[in-house]
Amino acid sequence: MGSTDKAISYGSALVLSLLLLLLPLLHEAEGCDMFTGRWVEDASYPLYDPSACPFIRREFACKRNGRPDLDYPTFRWQPQGCKLARFNGVEFLEKNKGKKIMFVGDSLSLNQWQSLTCMLHSSVPNSPYNITTQGTITTFTFQEYGMELKLDRNVYLVDIVRKKIGRVLKLDSINDGHNWSEMDTLIFNTWHWWSRRGPSQPWDYIQLGSNVTKDMNRVKAFKIALGTWGKWVDTVVDTQKTRVFFQGISPSHYKGALWGEPTARSCAKQNKPLLGTSYPGGLPAEVGVLKRALGKISKPVTLLDITMLSLLRKDGHPSIYGLGGRTGNDCSHWCLSGVPDTWNEILYNYMA
């Protein structure tokens, strides 16, 4: 073998070695699907002890509320074709020093925001922070890093306005977008409230253009609102400065037949996840509506496609250890620590 051939051989071996070293770091951005996988037990989880975060709201504080089984936070999400980089709170804070990150949406956005505040605080427990609320916006500031982690409680993304006839949900109007400007990262979410009816429904009429109606098909209304939001992204957001995510559809667990347990009428007493890679009941229809809407947006929006991995976690909800206690049965929100920590670990992998 000549010297040139030897150089090529050594060079090829070096490239191969480097590729093998880098392979564990590959994630969705390089072609690996972070959302197809399974839950595995991992003694190094959860990422934090929720008792170290006194600001966690009662509805998510399952351990503090007396939940006796404590296996649910010890599962780690393992994608099929790659390994998620473990969340590093100090690194996240350093990379986002002086920046503003905002969650916009309903109580599932609150759930994820609270998770991230605790993941970060537990990483720097002696670092000062403060929490302020102005109108619909709550800001958790890590003072040492000048980083603001914000939450805007806006459950439909489109506007609700008061008129003489009452409260009107305007499917083609977004006037609150000024609240979302000047952010470095935005994570949006909506769906949870679209099926609300009765006293908890916060509007009396729906308006589209000049047409005002008492009600309409809720999935259709959701689709129209997503289209309005998508146009807002394309028109207003400078994605060279602001990265945009959509949280995805967070599922509920009230029908045991959907996960192969017909006698279960809720998530009560569920203490183990489904250990496969698919959910017997399949994905809810609104996931397809969301993906089609995102596909029509010209500017880059990253979907945190957390539905399937969350469907597998029938054990992750507060149930009777949430806000309502034994008189309630919350199978929509999530215990902290718990499933939303994985949503944020995936977000961290995208933002790394």
Side-chain angles (χ1 to χ4, degrees), residues 91 94 253 315:
E91 181 184 275
E94 288 287 354
H253 289 91
D315 60 317

PDB file of all heavy atoms in Angstrom, residues 91 94 253 315:
ATOM      1  N   GLU A  91     -26.618  24.798  31.925  1.00  0.00           N
ATOM      2  CA  GLU A  91     -26.314  25.047  30.512  1.00  0.00           C
ATOM      3  C   GLU A  91     -27.453  25.811  29.835  1.00  0.00           C
ATOM      4  O   GLU A  91     -27.215  26.741  29.055  1.00  0.00           O
ATOM      5  CB  GLU A  91     -26.074  23.723  29.791  1.00  0.00           C
ATOM      6  CG  GLU A  91     -25.716  23.873  28.323  1.00  0.00           C
ATOM      7  CD  GLU A  91     -25.589  22.521  27.640  1.00  0.00           C
ATOM      8  OE1 GLU A  91     -24.501  21.933  27.709  1.00  0.00           O
ATOM      9  OE2 GLU A  91     -26.587  22.061  27.050  1.00  0.00           O
ATOM     10  N   GLU A  94     -27.305  29.431  30.959  1.00  0.00           N
ATOM     11  CA  GLU A  94     -26.164  30.124  30.359  1.00  0.00           C
ATOM     12  C   GLU A  94     -26.443  30.464  28.892  1.00  0.00           C
ATOM     13  O   GLU A  94     -26.153  31.572  28.433  1.00  0.00           O
ATOM     14  CB  GLU A  94     -24.899  29.259  30.465  1.00  0.00           C
ATOM     15  CG  GLU A  94     -24.333  29.147  31.870  1.00  0.00           C
ATOM     16  CD  GLU A  94     -23.641  30.410  32.355  1.00  0.00           C
ATOM     17  OE1 GLU A  94     -23.491  31.352  31.556  1.00  0.00           O
ATOM     18  OE2 GLU A  94     -23.274  30.456  33.545  1.00  0.00           O
ATOM     19  N   HIS A 253     -57.140  11.064  30.020  1.00  0.00           N
ATOM     20  CA  HIS A 253     -57.363   9.625  30.182  1.00  0.00           C
ATOM     21  C   HIS A 253     -58.602   9.392  31.050  1.00  0.00           C
ATOM     22  O   HIS A 253     -58.499   9.247  32.266  1.00  0.00           O
ATOM     23  CB  HIS A 253     -56.145   8.957  30.820  1.00  0.00           C
ATOM     24  CG  HIS A 253     -54.957   8.873  29.917  1.00  0.00           C
ATOM     25  ND1 HIS A 253     -53.989   9.858  29.857  1.00  0.00           N
ATOM     26  CD2 HIS A 253     -54.589   7.915  29.024  1.00  0.00           C
ATOM     27  CE1 HIS A 253     -53.071   9.510  28.971  1.00  0.00           C
ATOM     28  NE2 HIS A 253     -53.399   8.341  28.448  1.00  0.00           N
ATOM     29  N   ASP A 315     -50.800   6.919  33.873  1.00  0.00           N
ATOM     30  CA  ASP A 315     -50.467   6.987  35.299  1.00  0.00           C
ATOM     31  C   ASP A 315     -49.994   8.369  35.736  1.00  0.00           C
ATOM     32  O   ASP A 315     -49.765   8.587  36.927  1.00  0.00           O
ATOM     33  CB  ASP A 315     -49.352   5.993  35.608  1.00  0.00           C
ATOM     34  CG  ASP A 315     -48.080   6.295  34.813  1.00  0.00           C
ATOM     35  OD1 ASP A 315     -48.203   6.603  33.610  1.00  0.00           O
ATOM     36  OD2 ASP A 315     -46.978   6.248  35.389  1.00  0.00           O
TER      37      ASP A 315
END
